[in-house]
Amino acid sequence: MYEKHLMICGATGCLSSGSQSVEQALIEELEKRGIRDNYRLVMGGCPGFCEVGPIIVIYPDEVLYCRLKPKHMAELVEKHLVGGEIVEKLLYKGPDVDVPARFYDTIPFYAKQKFNVLRNSGIIDPESIDEYIMRGGYRAFTRSLEMEPAAICEEVKSAGLRGRGGAGFSTGLKWEFTLNAVGQKKYVVCNADEGDPGAFMDRSILEGDPHAILEGMLICGRAIGANEGYVYCRAEYPLAIKRLKIAISKAEEYGLLGENILGYNYNFKINIKEGAGAFVCGEETALLASIEGKRGMPRPRPPFPAQSGLFGKPTTINNVETLANIPLIVKEGGAVEFASVGTEGSKGTKVFALAGKIRNTGLCEVPMGITIREIIYDVGGGIKGGRDFKAVQAGGPSGGCIPAEQLDLPIDYDSLNKAGAIMGSGGLVVMDERTCMVDLARYFLSFTQKESCGKCTPCREGTKRMLEILNRITEGEGKPEDLDILDSMAYSIKDSSLCGLGQTCPNPVLSTIRYFRHEYEEHINNKFCRAGVCKALFNYKIDPETCTGCTVCARACPVDAISGEKKLPHEINLDLCTNCGSCIEKCRFDAIIIKPVGREADVSN
Amino acid sequence: MSTETEAAIAPEIDLSAIEEIIEPYLGKKEMVIPVLQKVQEHFGFLPRPAMEEVSRLMRIPLSRLYGVATFYAQFKMKPRGRYIIRVCKGTACHIQGSPKIADRIEETLGLQSGETTDDLRFTLEEVACIGACALAPVIMINDEPHGRLTPDKIKDILDSYE
């Protein structure tokens, strides 16, 4: 019998902040005292709050300790586990709380969140099927065994669930098409090829609650008449793959996968396919080609996968987060409950990955319809370092940016589309005044250009030409006509590309031109990048009024370009300076300013 | 890594492992990607003689096999170092300064992305997104992530891999 359960976050975020050495130190401390067996340690799923990792949550006490280091473990064991006293200094502290917060319910990051998809993450042991079942797992699946396939599709449709992977198509309708397609053999495919740079929710769900995905696939198989499924998962996610494999073998052992499941006339097996690194494989027809062992190139639709998919058979392809919602919808009364959250056109919750220049980085799950302001300021805690919010990029390389004027935009599929962004997979990358929007557009396009599979000309050639123009602009060689050319090329590529990659890849360029045209014009006409990113388009200067002569910048400079006496204003030798930015990062007095090249007099920052 | 080095390594490779790897997949052409993944796991890259052997055993033309292998970023046609440094080029990492991290690694090791040090210690690669955006900028060295990097931290991190 365990006295307490300690959930140690074992997701990538906390691993990179050192959760493994924290666990090691904890085990050593417990062993030293001979009390190791009294506690259950679970390297479990993710509470989402990567910013303050590594995190340990202790049950049944309901205490969340954060920012842990191995050296804290002796005190944690001594005081909390042995002494029964809370170690206040390891609780969550921040500018948004008056007193250290002890658990989810008092930490502001969680206040506006609603856990559907992340319901088990960080609570159960992802490697234990029993814990999933105890939390109501596989109940929806057993209910679906008593239902007609068409009725299951109908329920998912009535819940209003839309695909969480990108375009937001109705999941129930997709299932119905596959159900109605002619053919004996059908497939369920789970798209776990999360490739959007800036999104990591699928990874977290797979690592934290793998059985939810299996249950979603089982219900889908039942609904469309399939008896085989594939999970196509990125090879870059080894822990997710390991946990899926464990989950599959446990489900087989329990008779939830295999032949005549639970005595019903229903067979289902699940295979895992590891992706080999190609962003375009997030596109459904490319993903299917890859499972078939071919180059992952898309093909024209129709025929849609619902008619002719994997190995030419009718196939439903759903994203990880979509499938994780399914058990909640198909459980008794679930569809109505699901539809009661969200907006008219977008039901339920959505998981967002908060990253970039935001204080609380991590994963959050919020009801659809919440405003961007609420996500960034209430959940995300505002901008890092107290700088001004500039824009947020929603939907990765297929999406667009949303500027400060639109902070009150509600987050749902349709509002985001109207604003020129997309829901995509739910990556939200926050930018402040030190982010250059032209460079950002260039960055996204260089990504999509590299990932273009090369099959269709508009995408293969078009992205390359657009990238050349953007490179020129960021190097100071932009021409006034460039903006019109970019605009017209963007629409040609959108209209004529074969797949979603090409059709959406100009979005970041279009949306940055739409909201930050002045920044492009400043790059082109004034040869100035006021964010201090495009190296050819600015110089650093030390403001003699503000500089205190603390010498920190001079010591940080890798090329010894900064000189000056202690306690006297310093100076930068522009002949030596490489614009590496080490000084501006280190300066605590904002004394280093960004100014246009070669115009000494004009410091109009 | 020059072609001579590759040629020098190639004749010595022991192809007997390939038969064992392929055994469960014989006749299943759709399993070619998992096969290549396992072959690469064994050799560290996909040497030409190994590709020829896979082609023969799986009855897939060599041209098609190379077509598949060169399509995916994961497959490497040249030998790689003991430690693979993957610099995350994701959005969050980009705006948090991953280009500066990449520059510093390139300077320190004298490598460009895709290259390997002569002593086969390090290979430098770029990866689209590691999925640790909250700790940007991030690199992975083999399976270990290193997050919240600044250029100054690079030297110590690299030194810890012998």
Side-chain angles (χ1 to χ4, degrees):
Chain A
M1 195 54 193
Y2 296 114
E3 279 178 35
K4 292 182 200 308
H5 293 230
L6 280 74
M7 313 296 295
I8 305 161
C9 177
T12 318
C14 281
L15 282 180
S16 354
S17 351
S19 64
Q20 235 155 2
S21 49
V22 168
E23 187 199 26
Q24 212 47 50
L26 176 63
I27 291 174
E28 275 166 26
E29 189 61 35
L30 290 171
E31 277 172 353
K32 207 163 74 189
R33 292 166 179 264
I35 51 173
R36 170 74 179 84
D37 294 339
N38 301 354
Y39 301 95
R40 181 155 175 269
L41 306 190
V42 180
M43 204 67 174
C46 163
F49 203 177
C50 311
E51 179 66 32
V52 299
I55 293 175
I56 294 181
V57 182
I58 301 180
Y59 292 100
D61 313 18
E62 302 200 329
V63 176
L64 183 150
Y65 289 122
C66 58
R67 298 186 201 275
L68 296 173
K69 298 220 157 54
K71 64 172 186 200
H72 295 140
M73 290 305 109
E75 191 177 354
L76 191 144
V77 171
E78 164 79 35
K79 265 202 183 160
H80 187 137
L81 299 186
V82 178
E85 188 187 326
I86 288 174
V87 190
E88 196 163 295
K89 74 170 195 198
L90 302 178
L91 295 176
Y92 173 78
K93 290 184 275 295
D96 47 3
V97 288
D98 299 329
V99 287
R102 161 178 164 150
F103 196 55
Y104 293 105
D105 52 358
T106 45
I107 299 174
F109 176 71
Y110 294 105
K112 290 211 166 161
Q113 297 202 46
K114 177 175 169 56
F115 292 125
N116 273 356
V117 169
L118 300 178
R119 60 194 177 274
N120 291 326
S121 203
I123 293 172
I124 64 167
D125 175 357
E127 298 183 7
S128 157
I129 187 171
D130 295 326
E131 296 197 0
Y132 181 71
I133 291 171
M134 273 187 289
R135 301 263 302 167
Y138 290 109
R139 211 174 282 169
F141 168 58
T142 48
R143 178 169 176 264
S144 76
L145 286 169
E146 293 284 347
M147 291 167 73
E148 284 300 316
I152 306 173
C153 295
E154 195 49 52
E155 234 171 59
V156 175
K157 240 168 43 181
S158 75
L161 175 65
R162 296 171 67 172
R164 299 295 195 240
F169 192 76
S170 158
T171 304
L173 214 51
K174 213 174 190 181
W175 288 17
E176 204 172 72
F177 290 150
T178 321
L179 171 66
N180 294 335
V182 183
Q184 283 297 309
K185 179 82 187 173
K186 293 178 184 177
Y187 291 100
V188 178
V189 173
C190 169
N191 183 349
D193 190 44
E194 182 173 56
D196 267 14
F200 50 101
M201 61 284 296
D202 291 352
R203 167 179 207 153
S204 201
I205 297 167
L206 292 164
E207 290 178 355
D209 197 13
H211 283 284
I213 306 304
L214 303 191
E215 187 176 5
M217 291 177 75
L218 275 162
I219 296 171
C220 177
R222 178 79 190 148
I224 65 170
N227 57 21
E228 190 167 358
Y230 281 88
V231 182
Y232 186 87
C233 185
R234 294 181 77 188
E236 286 92 338
Y237 289 2
L239 183 62
I241 291 169
K242 177 184 154 214
R243 292 209 160 138
L244 273 173
K245 283 184 177 158
I246 294 171
I248 289 172
S249 81
K250 281 285 167 197
E252 282 168 350
E253 197 182 296
Y254 277 52
L256 289 159
L257 280 173
E259 311 261 299
N260 296 319
I261 295 170
L262 302 175
Y264 286 79
N265 182 23
Y266 178 48
N267 308 332
F268 201 77
K269 74 175 229 189
I270 294 179
N271 312 295
I272 297 175
K273 274 272 185 166
E274 289 181 36
F279 177 70
V280 69
C281 287
E283 173 72 22
E284 54 184 21
T285 55
L287 184 151
L288 296 176
S290 182
I291 296 181
E292 292 169 3
K294 300 176 188 153
R295 289 165 71 92
M297 308 229 267
R299 60 160 177 79
R301 296 175 301 180
F304 287 90
Q307 267 78 46
S308 172
L310 190 60
F311 303 113
K313 309 292 182 206
T315 304
T316 286
I317 303 160
N318 284 142
N319 143 287
V320 169
E321 195 184 332
T322 314
L323 286 167
N325 271 302
I326 295 296
L328 295 174
I329 291 170
V330 179
K331 72 174 189 200
E332 192 69 53
V336 176
E337 200 181 311
F338 182 88
S340 69
V341 176
T343 65
E344 185 63 35
S346 308
K347 300 294 185 195
T349 57
K350 176 78 190 90
V351 184
F352 289 100
L354 296 177
K357 313 227 174 152
I358 191 160
R359 211 169 60 80
N360 298 336
T361 52
L363 279 186
C364 65
E365 181 171 4
V366 287
M368 293 275 193
I370 191 170
T371 65
I372 292 180
R373 186 186 301 279
E374 286 172 283
I375 293 194
I376 290 177
Y377 287 94
D378 299 345
V379 180
I383 307 301
K384 230 176 228 164
R387 293 210 185 90
D388 284 338
F389 170 81
K390 183 171 189 177
V392 56
Q393 174 75 19
S398 310
C401 66
I402 293 161
E405 307 89 271
Q406 301 218 20
L407 266 174
D408 290 308
L409 189 80
I411 293 218
D412 61 67
Y413 289 95
D414 310 306
S415 309
L416 283 173
N417 278 348
K418 243 182 265 165
I422 61 165
M423 183 76 77
S425 51
L428 291 178
V429 181
V430 176
M431 293 162 286
D432 66 10
E433 72 236 43
R434 293 265 185 86
T435 314
C436 168
M437 302 312 281
V438 185
D439 174 71
L440 183 81
R442 190 199 57 80
Y443 160 76
F444 278 123
L445 210 65
S446 72
F447 176 81
T448 35
Q449 189 267 326
K450 260 187 243 157
E451 295 292 343
S452 171
C453 79
K455 184 166 178 172
C456 75
T457 320
C459 173
R460 184 186 65 236
E461 301 298 326
T463 52
K464 190 142 184 108
R465 296 289 94 81
M466 283 180 74
L467 181 60
E468 282 168 4
I469 297 176
L470 288 167
N471 279 336
R472 266 202 291 109
I473 298 177
T474 54
E475 284 156 13
E477 306 293 327
K479 299 174 203 155
E481 63 271 26
D482 281 344
L483 289 183
D484 289 338
I485 301 176
L486 281 176
D487 191 74
S488 97
M489 286 187 74
Y491 283 104
S492 311
I493 296 170
K494 273 172 86 81
D495 291 343
S496 54
S497 289
L498 177 59
C499 81
L501 193 156
Q503 287 156 14
T504 59
C505 72
N507 287 348
V509 179
L510 286 173
S511 81
T512 46
I513 294 184
R514 172 168 164 189
Y515 295 117
F516 296 94
R517 194 178 181 96
H518 55 278
E519 249 180 69
Y520 278 86
E521 287 167 350
E522 199 163 40
H523 277 68
I524 294 171
N525 302 329
N526 309 348
K527 311 291 178 209
F528 180 40
C529 172
R530 71 172 55 238
V533 174
C534 303
K535 283 189 177 181
L537 299 182
F538 71 94
N539 279 334
Y540 288 119
K541 184 182 189 318
I542 298 177
D543 178 13
E545 305 287 307
T546 350
C547 178
T548 62
C550 74
T551 75
V552 164
C553 60
R555 277 177 283 139
C557 180
V559 292
D560 293 327
I562 302 180
S563 56
E565 294 291 315
K566 216 174 169 182
K567 298 200 173 157
L568 289 174
H570 281 44
E571 247 179 74
I572 301 177
N573 180 348
L574 293 180
D575 293 332
L576 296 175
C577 177
T578 59
N579 277 6
C580 75
S582 298
C583 51
I584 199 164
E585 259 161 46
K586 290 275 156 69
C587 181
R588 281 166 293 158
F589 305 100
D590 285 332
I592 296 174
I593 47 182
I594 295 159
K595 62 176 204 63
V597 181
R599 268 185 293 167
E600 210 47 50
D602 178 23
V603 191
S604 59
N605 195 36
Chain B
M1 180 57 58
S2 65
T3 40
E4 291 87 59
T5 342
E6 194 186 343
I9 297 169
E12 292 163 26
I13 67 169
D14 174 12
L15 296 175
S16 60
I18 295 181
E19 211 158 326
E20 214 172 294
I21 290 172
I22 289 184
E23 219 270 308
Y25 302 112
L26 278 178
K28 296 180 185 167
K29 289 188 179 158
E30 76 278 10
M31 298 305 277
V32 59
I33 293 172
V35 166
L36 290 177
Q37 282 167 335
K38 292 210 161 77
V39 171
Q40 175 158 298
E41 206 172 289
H42 183 81
F43 293 107
F45 70 112
L46 295 173
R48 168 112 189 176
M51 290 289 278
E52 285 166 1
E53 186 71 356
V54 172
S55 159
R56 191 176 68 80
L57 292 169
M58 292 201 71
R59 299 177 169 275
I60 296 173
L62 192 59
S63 58
R64 188 173 303 163
L65 204 58
Y66 268 98
V68 171
T70 54
F71 184 84
Y72 296 98
Q74 191 189 4
F75 297 121
K76 309 294 169 191
M77 302 297 146
K78 288 180 183 170
R80 294 196 296 161
R82 293 193 298 286
Y83 301 109
I84 314 294
I85 307 170
R86 294 188 179 86
V87 180
C88 180
K89 293 289 193 172
T91 320
C93 287
H94 180 79
I95 71 164
Q96 298 277 32
S98 66
K100 285 177 196 164
I101 304 296
D103 286 351
R104 185 62 66 92
I105 299 174
E106 287 175 6
E107 279 163 29
T108 314
L109 298 176
L111 289 182
Q112 292 292 313
S113 177
E115 293 178 347
T116 301
T117 51
D118 287 336
D119 57 359
L120 293 186
R121 183 167 159 219
F122 289 114
T123 296
L124 181 60
E125 291 177 358
E126 290 177 357
V127 56
C129 183
I130 296 174
C133 310
L135 298 168
V138 183
I139 63 170
M140 295 258 284
I141 301 185
N142 289 354
D143 286 336
E144 286 180 82
H146 298 271
R148 294 205 170 102
L149 293 176
T150 55
D152 330 339
K153 293 185 186 164
I154 295 302
K155 191 172 176 301
D156 287 346
I157 292 176
L158 294 180
D159 284 349
S160 67
Y161 292 88
E162 261 319 310

